[in-house]
Amino acid sequence: MDVETILTDSPAEAAAHLNRGETVAFPTETVYGLGVDITIEEAVRKIFLAKGRPSDNPLIVHVHASEQVGEVASGISDTARLLMQRFFPGPLTLVLCKQSWVSSLVTAGLSTVGVRCPEHPVAREFLHHCRHPVAAPSANLSGKPSSTDWKSVHEDLNGKINCILRGEHSAIGLESTIVDCSTEPPRLLRAGAIGLDELRAVVPGLLGPAAIEEHRRPKSPGLKYPHYAPSAEIRLCGEGYGTCSGGKKTAWIGLSHPPEGAAVTCRCGDAGEYAHRLFRFFRECDRKNIGIIFCEMPAPEGIGQALRDRLQRAAEGK
Ligand code: TXA
Ligand code: MG
């Protein structure tokens, strides 16, 4: 243990820690974030150390209101403004041209910056008390599933970060939708709770995710790193995928009926509940030494799109 990790329920107290240059995990409606003051370089460095995060993976900057976006981004396009008007605050990150003062440690040397304004009331109160915008990746060890409750943050980062602002289990449970607005037309970089249809209802020409070849040199650097993966092997099942059978101690998560013999199961009522519970279920399976987790593929509708993306990545170990 390098540092004592303080637990608090007070957004103001958590913000006071952050304003002193400390690392603070906080709840959002997508997943928990691990935040630092964007203007304090030593603090930004602490994030990469605590998570074991590669330094070429940029951080998302969190603001408490749309009006604060201009502090970190410049040349904001009309389409970006439309998306902000419709979806901020919420589970959306926009990639915009950065203001020159924003540290290249935060943006991993890119000329753009990812900006998000969360809707979660505790996150908003916390950000309101923070003196500057807050750089925050998901609050998990690099490569592990994102944390959707404060206990998962504690499991990964106790002794490595200064403070955890406790909140409830993240309502959505998957990371934000990311849209690159630094080029026209904007392009979806990462699927999330806000789907392509909803985005296109506001910006009809918005492009879908890049073709497979581009994933090897992705526009969003984080997409090339292993993500969302528990230690257990992930196998996709359901219509068009394999069946749920394997020799090791197995688990199952999905929407239909659990197979017989699975040691741990999680039957969800709909895709929203599936998303909400997925990452915590992965962690539970690791604690129970599960060898194979069978994940039933949901239909590609609504949040089912983002869920399929995360399941596919977890199955491929990337
Ligand atoms: O819901 C979320 O987005 C959560 C909460 C805490 O806000 N954050 C999150 O952060 O998932 P992280 O660091 O785990 O994922 C951020 C992703 C990475 O894939 C990163 O490469 C991408 O955003 N990203 C950040 N800045 C970018 C930029 N300027 N251009 C392209 N991609 C960027
Ligand atoms: Mg992450």
Side-chain angles (χ1 to χ4, degrees):
M1 292 239 294
D2 302 328
V3 292
E4 186 196 352
T5 303
I6 290 160
L7 303 177
T8 180
D9 299 322
S10 157
E13 186 191 339
H17 281 282
L18 183 130
N19 289 334
R20 287 200 290 271
E22 298 183 358
T23 44
V24 178
F26 61 99
T28 86
E29 69 273 23
T30 56
V31 299
Y32 275 64
L34 175 59
V36 290
D37 183 314
I38 187 185
T39 66
I40 308 176
E41 291 238 337
E42 310 92 80
V44 178
R45 268 183 236 284
K46 286 187 199 166
I47 281 192
F48 289 91
L49 274 178
K51 287 193 53 139
R53 183 178 177 99
S55 60
D56 65 349
N57 193 0
L59 308 176
I60 293 174
V61 173
H62 295 70
V63 295
H64 66 77
S66 291
E67 296 74 57
Q68 210 184 10
V69 174
E71 282 182 33
V72 292
S74 63
I76 303 169
S77 66
D78 290 344
T79 44
R81 283 185 199 285
L82 284 174
L83 291 169
M84 277 162 51
Q85 266 163 24
R86 171 68 181 81
F87 298 112
F88 275 17
L92 178 68
T93 296
L94 296 182
V95 172
L96 302 164
C97 292
K98 80 175 185 82
Q99 290 279 5
S100 55
W101 70 267
V102 175
S103 161
S104 62
L105 263 184
V106 171
T107 62
L110 298 175
S111 58
T112 55
V113 60
V115 189
R116 172 164 180 235
C117 180
E119 188 174 24
H120 192 289
V122 176
R124 297 196 77 183
E125 195 181 337
F126 166 68
L127 292 169
H128 179 74
H129 286 287
C130 293
R131 219 174 284 133
H132 301 114
V134 170
S138 51
N140 52 280
L141 288 174
S142 215
K144 288 260 211 147
S146 297
S147 297
T148 52
D149 59 7
W150 72 264
K151 286 187 177 149
S152 301
V153 179
H154 193 259
E155 176 179 275
D156 273 15
L157 298 170
N158 184 35
K160 295 187 163 134
I161 62 175
N162 299 108
C163 177
I164 299 175
L165 172 57
R166 287 184 296 202
E168 288 166 3
H169 187 176
S170 298
I172 295 173
L174 301 181
E175 306 81 356
S176 61
T177 303
I178 304 182
V179 174
D180 183 2
C181 288
S182 67
T183 53
E184 280 293 331
R187 183 190 282 281
L188 177 67
L189 296 182
R190 180 173 73 183
I194 299 172
L196 204 47
D197 292 351
E198 275 181 277
L199 294 166
R200 282 182 176 154
V202 179
V203 179
L206 195 133
L207 302 172
I212 303 294
E213 314 83 68
E214 282 185 49
H215 275 300
R216 299 213 175 83
R217 273 186 302 114
K219 194 77 198 287
S220 194
L223 297 180
K224 71 175 184 252
Y225 290 110
H227 251 83
Y228 324 115
S231 305
E233 179 190 339
I234 302 292
R235 285 206 208 148
L236 306 178
C237 58
E239 239 184 279
Y241 293 86
T243 53
C244 305
S245 61
K248 302 181 186 161
K249 187 176 175 188
T250 62
W252 176 92
I253 184 166
L255 297 165
S256 65
H257 296 282
E260 280 188 16
V264 192
T265 62
C266 180
R267 186 176 178 196
C268 308
D270 57 30
E273 187 187 339
Y274 194 164
H276 174 69
R277 297 175 71 170
L278 180 70
F279 289 149
R280 195 153 77 166
F281 183 71
F282 278 174
R283 287 174 176 269
E284 179 191 343
C285 289
D286 278 352
R287 277 196 303 276
K288 293 182 173 162
N289 289 318
I290 294 296
I292 304 172
I293 307 173
F294 292 105
C295 301
E296 192 176 53
M297 283 300 252
E301 285 147 21
I303 199 163
Q305 290 276 13
L307 203 42
R308 288 168 70 92
D309 168 78
R310 302 307 189 276
L311 292 174
Q312 230 130 20
R313 286 174 193 283
E316 291 163 11
K318 69 172 190 186

